[in-house]
Amino acid sequence: MLDVSNLSVRYGRHLALENAALNVAKGEIVVVLGSNGAGKSTLIKAMAGLVRTEPGAQILLEGQALHKLPAHRIVDAGLALVPEGRHLFSTLTVQENLMLGAFLPRTRAHAQDSMERVFAVFPKLEQRLSQIAGTMSGGEQQMVAIGRAMMTCPRLLLLDEPSLGLSPLLTSELFKALPSIAATGTSVLLVEQNSHQSLAIADRGYLIEKGLITGEGTAKELLESAEVQKAYL
Ligand code: ATP
């Protein structure tokens, strides 16, 4: 359902991403593993239309050419981004933050159903609807950020380092929610440094190093690979 090829991004003279290619099937969870500065956020931002890609890049979501669309149309086409650092409206309540995700005309009418889907994945949020988002713990805020993205009824959810700043226990709780999102048919692509916990819930993965995709495999293959063990585990 997602097919990316020939994706390059330059910041001035620095080539941060070089001819990246990857794909994600419907309902699949795919992780891109890389260390600091490898190009993970750049990859995610390029797909979401937030940085300019070099000519020749192709990003197809169920056949729609995202690389030809501005960022707001990309959301409408079914791609939702949960940025690194979450970017919640910290003085607004959980409910207000979630509802901001339902801003598109095509999603506003289904906001109540979407909210129910968010509660099915994150039951805690239903009890915290009136809590000010900024007063929640890091893990809870990440749930709100993912919930807000789910409110756009995405075909593909992009997560930029969701485990950042979370304890292994909170990360595990958060990651356990991803298979239930994928089971509803929404594909999940996450970029992570936390290989152990992300590979535990992913179907497949890619390795990215200095802007280049250097490996790929099933989650099991990557967990057992000597290269991954050495670099990340
Ligand atoms: P981290 O895990 O630290 O977030 P990352 O894998 O997400 O790292 P990117 O943020 O994609 O890495 O950065 C890839 C490279 O591009 C790095 O060398 C970074 O310094 C550089 N870079 C990122 N954004 C910009 C920018 N706006 N201008 C110039 N260089 C940038």
Side-chain angles (χ1 to χ4, degrees):
M1 59 97 59
L2 175 77
D3 233 309
V4 174
S5 57
N6 212 17
L7 183 59
S8 301
V9 174
R10 233 174 236 292
Y11 297 118
R13 284 202 313 210
H14 176 59
L15 190 57
L17 195 62
E18 191 174 349
N19 289 332
L22 57 85
N23 56 71
V24 181
K26 191 171 165 63
E28 199 177 30
I29 303 178
V30 173
V31 60
V32 178
L33 293 172
S35 52
N36 271 324
K40 303 182 299 298
S41 294
T42 300
L43 175 69
I44 289 255
K45 285 180 188 159
M47 284 189 260
L50 300 176
V51 294
R52 203 164 58 88
T53 58
E54 292 295 295
Q58 262 213 340
I59 306 165
L60 300 175
L61 184 68
E62 289 185 339
Q64 295 177 90
L66 301 189
H67 53 279
K68 294 186 176 159
L69 301 177
H72 67 283
R73 296 273 311 280
I74 291 178
V75 183
D76 207 7
L79 183 144
L81 166 69
V82 181
E84 186 179 321
R86 298 152 205 145
H87 295 274
L88 292 179
F89 293 91
S90 60
T91 59
L92 300 184
T93 65
V94 169
Q95 182 163 26
E96 286 163 342
N97 270 281
L98 291 176
M99 285 309 293
L100 283 168
F103 66 96
L104 294 166
R106 89 171 153 78
T107 58
R108 209 174 298 139
H110 312 291
Q112 204 46 49
D113 290 344
S114 303
M115 195 83 97
E116 294 299 331
R117 274 200 297 276
V118 173
F119 298 155
V121 176
F122 301 117
K124 205 181 220 174
L125 295 186
E126 190 167 11
Q127 294 135 32
R128 303 291 190 93
L129 280 178
S130 54
Q131 185 170 345
I132 299 295
T135 67
M136 300 183 97
S137 72
E140 291 163 353
Q141 290 194 25
Q142 191 60 261
M143 291 176 194
V144 178
I146 296 175
R148 182 178 60 186
M150 287 172 69
M151 295 294 288
T152 66
C153 304
R155 295 186 170 96
L156 175 72
L157 197 57
L158 288 183
L159 307 175
D160 193 350
E161 290 205 51
S163 77
L164 205 69
L166 303 187
S167 69
L169 192 67
L170 283 176
T171 300
S172 147
E173 192 190 334
L174 186 76
F175 280 9
K176 272 191 201 140
L178 301 183
S180 50
I181 296 175
T184 66
T186 299
S187 308
V188 178
L189 178 65
L190 69 161
V191 301
E192 264 296 338
Q193 294 194 49
N194 184 333
S195 51
H196 210 94
Q197 288 188 285
S198 57
L199 287 172
I201 51 95
D203 298 301
R204 284 189 307 116
Y206 294 86
L207 307 179
I208 184 169
E209 227 176 296
K210 294 187 187 145
L212 277 174
I213 299 221
T214 56
E216 66 173 290
T218 63
K220 186 168 179 289
E221 285 164 352
L222 292 177
L223 271 169
E224 289 166 358
S225 119
E227 188 190 346
V228 175
Q229 301 249 348
K230 187 161 153 257
Y232 304 105
L233 295 176

